[in-house]
């Protein structure tokens, strides 16, 4: 009840009571406070209520010496000291609130609080706490909770403090004091400074090899039976000794960092075969080695400091090593799949899923799946995932760990995409079940996609959903799986398609206005055409403002992606999509053209005449313009910057029409194939370009005719020659050497490299065709995720609730299975299902005891029963 009352303000009730007690503790005010409490209780007794045990407090609480809090004397605190002392009391209250929460969680296994209380005690000591305050602090916490519980509680039936609660608190505080006293006392004696300083002296006066050899020799004297563990080279072993002692020294100064490092150290030493029994000889060897290395500097004070450190550290290390005796932990540490399979045969069916999902080690919950991934034991991770996602049943209930898996591993899909994409298929296999009976040419299929669909309350950012992760980090083959395809189609038909057609439809309207106003009627200045151009500009402004506001909203909510342009910048996620980038640039172009482009009433130059003007200008630059062409002036052809913007905008506007192909998987697959093949073409053209530049440099150096006017012109002549788009007859006027170089260049590029390119494209297309459907679905999924990100949260919740994920799904008539999915009738196309799904995934047994285990065997096409 006390915890519930105080937790409404995050522990503020207890904290303020502790601070208030310290404030009134000086000058005999503590007894006055207790007297008031007793009077209150006595009054309750008159009303027929239990007066409680306030009058029977142990002297260690009721009679604690108020001089213990002299350094927190609020009555004589100056204005300058008040903030510091108030902060100290606040820190004490916060730390004790957290400490009591830890103690409550481990009330039945108080040895578990050793590590967290070392951290708490260190922070308390740094805030000014001393061992002399322990008694007073215990009374403060006792008084605070008693004060809360004195108030009648209708829910729990408690209306006063009792003798039983007093005795219980006395017992608990005695236990907690033991843990706190060890650390605070060691810090008060400055043992950490003594240990740190002496170790620095050792490192300054001895090399790592000398330190390692000394430790090894001492260990051989004390425990020769452990020397078989040291098989590495001497210099590496010395380095590891140094690292281990550095970590020991860290224990007092930074216990949080120590416990983080201890986990890795423990796992490594369990692999080596180290047992907790070895800690005593190890300690004698380490302390004896330091004593030998320090020489005369080793005195009684140093000895006591190191002994105190080693005793406190070995309690933690011994507990960690013993945790490695857990069968699952041992199997993960050794990396043997058969060991973990053997361990799971012993798991009670009610606990088997938790065995695979969480492992307690050093007071921390660890994921066996992530542990296996981190160590590269992908076969173990696959076993754990498949075991959790296997559907098992007895006569009372179904056992299916899907919900627990995603609850304890919310980022599972993302981590698998990063660490081991091959295991994504194992997860997807476990999210699908189908019946063995055919009904009217179809089979009952359950897709358990609740977590993949994503609850908007849990995943408010659509780009953090499982489908988004598969789009951004997954591979095309992942979208060939029936589960992913069903998830995609569910979202696409619900909201992806409507939003997509709204976006595309608005673009087609804008494209029509742009084409009529700036392309078809560019030479017309009628009022109608001017109105069309104005309407196109107004729509472009509206789209520009809308996209800009959306990008601002994304930036404010951290929805951006890093983009490298020489320096890394944060780009709004909206512009990550090339189609959105093209749309944003095109509306800017339309706005510019609407205000700056002028209609041209002048009669356009005929095409033949304009072509002659362009050819003349090109030949003039090459120095071979004939007299008959001198009548044309190069300034006759004028291309303004607005014309360039208009041309660029027209390309972007019509290019965006290709986005429509996403609705057809075959067209989308074709665009993917073209995009991949363009990469091969680009690489080939780079090679051709390097050869072209080298030949142009050689011909320019020889000052061959047509090549003597500059390096740039030489490159243009050879480029026109390769592309076959005309140019001067260079072979007629150059030397034999130049003719040989040009001929060799043409043979290598046109016959050699282009033929290789054709063969390479054929091979690439054959490879690409295998994953083009997967890519088409991935592109479609990207559209869905983007559409979902545009929807308000309330609308997304409506779509999520319509799926009915809370309803159990049928396996057979009258047989309700687990909830969390969607059921559909699928056509019987076995080729469309993964091989692993052609088996029935339910194992049934008749036994109903939750402490019994499951039979660990492969299912062979039919449901197993006993």
């Amino acid at each position: 009840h006390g915890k519930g009352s105080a937790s409404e303000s995050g522990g503020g009730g207890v904290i303020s009571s502790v601070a208030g007690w310290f404030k009134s503790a000086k000058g005999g005010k503590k007894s006055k406070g207790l007297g008031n409490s007793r009077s209150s209780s006595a009054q309750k007794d008159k009303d027929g209520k239990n007066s409680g045990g306030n009058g029977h407090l142990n002297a260690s609480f009721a009679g604690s010496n108020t001089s213990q809090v002299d350094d927190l004397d609020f009555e004589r605190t100056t204005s300058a000291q008040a903030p510091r002392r108030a902060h100290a009391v606040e820190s004490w209250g916060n730390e004790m609130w957290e400490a009591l929460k830890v103690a409550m969680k481990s009330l039945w296994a108080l040895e578990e609080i050793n590590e967290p209380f070392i951290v708490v005690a260190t922070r308390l000591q740094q805030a000014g706490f001393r061992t002399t305050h322990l008694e007073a602090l215990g009374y403060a916490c006792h008084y605070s909770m008693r004060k809360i519980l004195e108030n009648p509680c209708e829910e729990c039936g408690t209306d006063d403090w009792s003798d039983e609660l007093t005795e219980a608190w006395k017992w608990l505080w005695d236990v907690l004091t033991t843990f706190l006293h060890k650390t605070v006392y060691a810090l008060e004696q400055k043992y950490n400074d003594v240990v740190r300083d002496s170790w620095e002296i050792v490192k300054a006066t001895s090399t790592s090899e000398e330190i390692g050899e000394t430790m090894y020799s001492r260990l051989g004297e004390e425990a020769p039976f452990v020397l078989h563990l040291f098989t590495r080279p001497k210099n590496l072993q010395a380095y590891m000794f140094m690292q281990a002692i550095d970590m020991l020294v860290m224990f007092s100064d930074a216990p949080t960092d120590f416990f983080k490092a201890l986990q890795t150290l423990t796992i490594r030493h369990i692999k080596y075969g180290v047992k907790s029994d070895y800690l005593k000889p190890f300690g004698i060897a380490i302390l004896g080695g330091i004593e030998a290395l320090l020489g005369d500097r080793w005195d009684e004070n140093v000895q006591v400091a190191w002994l105190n450190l080693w005793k406190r550290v070995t309690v933690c290390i011994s507990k960690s090593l013993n945790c490695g005796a857990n069968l699952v932990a041992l199997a993960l540490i050794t990396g043997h799949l058969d060991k973990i399979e053997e361990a799971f045969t012993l798991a009670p069916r009610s606990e088997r899923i938790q065995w695979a999902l969480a492992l307690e080690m050093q007071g921390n919950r660890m994921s066996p799946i992530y542990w296996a991934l981190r160590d590269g034991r992908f076969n173990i991770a696959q076993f754990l995932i498949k075991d959790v996602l296997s559907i098992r049943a007895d006569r009372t209930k179904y056992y299916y760990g899907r919900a627990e898996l995603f609850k304890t591993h919310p980022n599972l899909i993302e981590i698998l995409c990063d660490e081991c994409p091959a295991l994504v298929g194992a997860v997807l296999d476990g999210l699908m079940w189908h019946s063995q009976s055919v009904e009217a040419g179809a089979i009952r299929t359950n897709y358990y996609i609740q977590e993949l669909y994503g609850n908007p309350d849990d995943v408010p950012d659509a780009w953090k959903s499982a489908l988004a992760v598969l789009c951004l980090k997954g591979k095309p083959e992942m979208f060939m799986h029936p589960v992913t395809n069903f998830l995609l189609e569910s979202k696409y038909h619900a909201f992806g398609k409507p939003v997509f057609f709204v976006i595309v439809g608005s673009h087609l309207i804008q494209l029509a206005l742009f084409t009529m106003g700036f392309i078809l009627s560019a030479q017309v200045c009628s009022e109608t055409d001017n109105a069309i151009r104005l309407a196109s500009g107004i729509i472009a402004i509206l789209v520009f403002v809308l996209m800009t506001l959306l990008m601002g909203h994304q930036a404010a909510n951290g929805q951006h992606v890093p983009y490298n342009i020489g320096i890394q910048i944060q780009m709004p996620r909206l512009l990550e999509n090339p189609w959105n980038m093209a749309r944003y640039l095109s509306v800017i172009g339309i706005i510019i053209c609407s205000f700056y482009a002028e209609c041209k009433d002048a009669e356009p130059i005929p095409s033949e005449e304009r072509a002659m003007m362009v050819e003349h200008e090109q030949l003039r630059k090459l120095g071979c313009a004939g007299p008959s062409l001198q009548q044309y002036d190069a300034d006759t052809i004028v291309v303004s910057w607005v014309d360039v913007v208009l041309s660029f905008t027209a390309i972007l506007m019509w290019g965006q029409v290709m986005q429509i192909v996403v609705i057809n998987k075959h067209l989308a697959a074709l665009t993917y194939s073209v995009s991949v093949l363009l990469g091969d073409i680009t690489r080939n053209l780079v090679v051709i370009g390097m050869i072209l530049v080298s030949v142009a440099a050689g011909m320019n150096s020889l000052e061959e005719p047509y090549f003597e006017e500059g390096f740039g012109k030489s490159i243009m002549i050879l480029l026109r020659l390769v592309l076959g788009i005309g140019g001067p007859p260079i072979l007629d006027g150059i030397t034999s050497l130049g003719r040989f170089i040009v001929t060799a260049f043409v043979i290598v590029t046109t016959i050699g490299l282009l033929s290789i390119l054709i063969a390479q494209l054929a091979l690439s297309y054959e490879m690409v065709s295998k994953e083009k459907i997967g890519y088409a679905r991935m592109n479609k999924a990207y559209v869905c995720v983007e559409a979902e990100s545009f929807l308000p949260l309330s609308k997304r919740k409506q779509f999520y609730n319509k799926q009915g994920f809370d309803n159990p799904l049928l396996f057979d008539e009258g047989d309700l299975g687990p909830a969390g999915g969607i059921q559909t009738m699928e056509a019987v196309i076995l080729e469309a299902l993964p091989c692993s799904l052609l088996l029935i995934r339910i194992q049934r047994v008749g036994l109903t005891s939750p402490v019994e285990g499951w039979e660990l065997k492969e299912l062979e096409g039919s449901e197993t029963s006993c």
Side-chain angles (χ1 to χ4, degrees), residues 343-354:
F344 272 77
T345 60
L346 304 175
R349 67 185 61 174
S350 59
E351 300 176 14
R352 182 171 180 136
I353 292 173
Q354 286 304 316

Side-chain angles (χ1 to χ4, degrees), residues 155-281:
E155 296 178 1
C156 60
T158 302
D159 61 359
D160 206 352
W161 191 262
S162 66
D163 291 339
E164 185 179 11
L165 292 178
T166 298
E167 294 302 319
W169 172 253
K170 285 166 52 183
W171 164 79
L172 179 61
W173 186 249
D174 286 342
V175 175
L176 301 185
T177 299
T178 303
F179 287 107
L180 292 172
H181 185 275
K182 294 177 186 176
T183 301
V184 176
Y185 178 79
L187 292 172
E188 282 180 359
Q189 301 302 315
K190 299 190 181 300
Y191 286 155
N192 56 323
D193 295 335
V194 175
V195 168
R196 189 190 322 106
D197 294 343
S198 59
W199 176 238
E200 291 299 327
I201 292 173
V202 171
K203 291 196 293 184
T205 57
S206 305
T207 64
S208 61
E209 290 79 8
E210 292 172 345
I211 296 173
E213 192 61 30
T214 302
M215 301 293 178
Y216 185 81
S217 300
R218 288 293 180 132
L219 192 59
E221 296 172 6
E222 295 294 332
F225 54 88
V226 302
L227 293 182
H228 69 280
L229 300 174
F230 298 90
T231 59
R232 301 193 176 212
K234 291 170 58 176
N235 57 344
L236 179 57
Q237 201 66 63
Y239 172 78
M240 296 176 70
F241 268 123
M242 298 280 289
Q243 292 293 310
I245 300 177
D246 277 335
M247 200 182 84
L248 293 180
V249 175
M250 183 203 307
F251 177 78
S252 295
D253 292 329
T256 303
D257 297 335
F258 170 82
F259 290 124
K260 288 181 181 178
L262 180 60
Q263 180 175 303
T264 304
L265 184 72
T266 301
I267 293 172
R268 188 168 71 238
H269 281 74
I270 291 176
K271 289 181 180 179
Y272 296 156
V274 177
K275 302 176 182 178
S276 58
D277 297 339
Y278 297 168
L279 290 176
K280 183 176 180 179

Side-chain angles (χ1 to χ4, degrees), residues 60-137:
S60 62
F61 294 94
S64 57
N65 187 354
T66 57
S67 64
Q68 295 169 353
V69 288
D70 281 341
D71 57 338
L72 291 173
D73 181 4
F74 281 83
E75 297 301 323
R76 290 180 291 184
T77 297
T78 64
S79 58
Q81 293 172 323
R84 179 184 66 83
R85 296 186 177 180
H87 175 73
V89 171
E90 184 75 9
S91 299
W92 292 17
N94 278 302
E95 292 297 342
M96 284 312 302
W97 175 253
E98 296 300 322
L100 289 174
K101 287 199 295 184
V102 171
M104 292 307 108
K105 291 179 181 178
S106 305
L107 205 56
W108 307 109
L110 285 172
E111 66 276 4
E112 298 291 337
I113 71 173
N114 184 49
E115 287 86 353
F117 262 63
I118 289 173
V119 177
V120 168
T122 302
R123 289 201 291 253
L124 279 172
Q125 199 275 341
Q126 292 170 351
F129 189 81
R130 300 295 180 264
T131 53
T132 54
H133 297 146
L134 282 169
E135 185 179 351
L137 182 61

Side-chain angles (χ1 to χ4, degrees), residues 746-758:
V746 173
I747 292 173
V748 170
T749 55
T750 306
I751 300 177
L753 290 177
L754 292 180
S755 298
I756 292 173
L757 176 60
I758 294 172

Side-chain angles (χ1 to χ4, degrees), residues 289-360:
I290 294 175
E291 179 182 0
L293 293 167
L294 281 175
D296 296 338
R297 295 185 181 90
W298 179 270
D299 55 25
E300 183 178 356
N301 190 35
V302 174
Q303 181 180 7
V304 171
W306 277 97
L307 280 172
N308 178 277
L309 173 64
W310 183 253
K311 287 178 182 178
R312 294 166 57 221
V313 167
T314 49
V315 173
C316 304
I317 297 178
S318 177
K319 178 172 172 290
S320 300
L321 289 173
N322 290 331
C323 285
N326 177 290
L327 290 176
V328 177
L330 188 59
L332 288 167
I333 290 170
T334 58
H336 294 155
L337 179 59
D338 56 339
K339 294 291 185 183
I340 203 164
E341 290 176 347
E342 181 181 350
F344 272 77
T345 60
L346 304 175
R349 67 185 61 174
S350 59
E351 300 176 14
R352 182 171 180 136
I353 292 173
Q354 286 304 316
W355 279 33
L357 297 180
L359 180 66
E360 290 284 345

Side-chain angles (χ1 to χ4, degrees), residues 175 245 288 333 442 501 525 528 538 551 564 628 774 857:
V175 175
I245 300 177
I333 290 170
F501 275 105
C525 296
T528 301
I538 292 174
M551 287 187 290
N564 198 338
S628 60
K857 61 181 181 179

Side-chain angles (χ1 to χ4, degrees), residues 317-425:
I317 297 178
S318 177
K319 178 172 172 290
S320 300
L321 289 173
N322 290 331
C323 285
N326 177 290
L327 290 176
V328 177
L330 188 59
L332 288 167
I333 290 170
T334 58
H336 294 155
L337 179 59
D338 56 339
K339 294 291 185 183
I340 203 164
E341 290 176 347
E342 181 181 350
F344 272 77
T345 60
L346 304 175
R349 67 185 61 174
S350 59
E351 300 176 14
R352 182 171 180 136
I353 292 173
Q354 286 304 316
W355 279 33
L357 297 180
L359 180 66
E360 290 284 345
M361 199 164 185
Q362 294 178 274
N364 298 321
R365 290 176 63 87
M366 302 176 60
S367 164
I369 295 175
Y370 289 164
W371 187 343
L373 288 174
R374 182 191 60 203
D375 288 352
R377 309 291 184 180
F378 300 131
N379 57 340
I380 293 180
Q382 184 180 41
F383 168 82
L384 294 172
I385 290 172
K386 286 187 174 181
D387 194 83
V388 170
L389 293 178
S390 293
I391 302 177
R392 298 183 175 92
D394 56 25
R395 296 182 64 187
T396 59
K397 62 181 294 188
Y398 279 98
Y399 298 83
Y400 184 36
R402 186 209 78 252
E404 292 88 343
L405 174 65
F406 285 101
K407 183 178 180 180
T408 55
H409 302 71
N411 299 323
L412 179 64
I413 299 297
E414 181 177 4
I415 289 175
L416 290 181
C417 287
D418 291 335
E419 302 293 336
C420 185
L423 289 182
V424 173

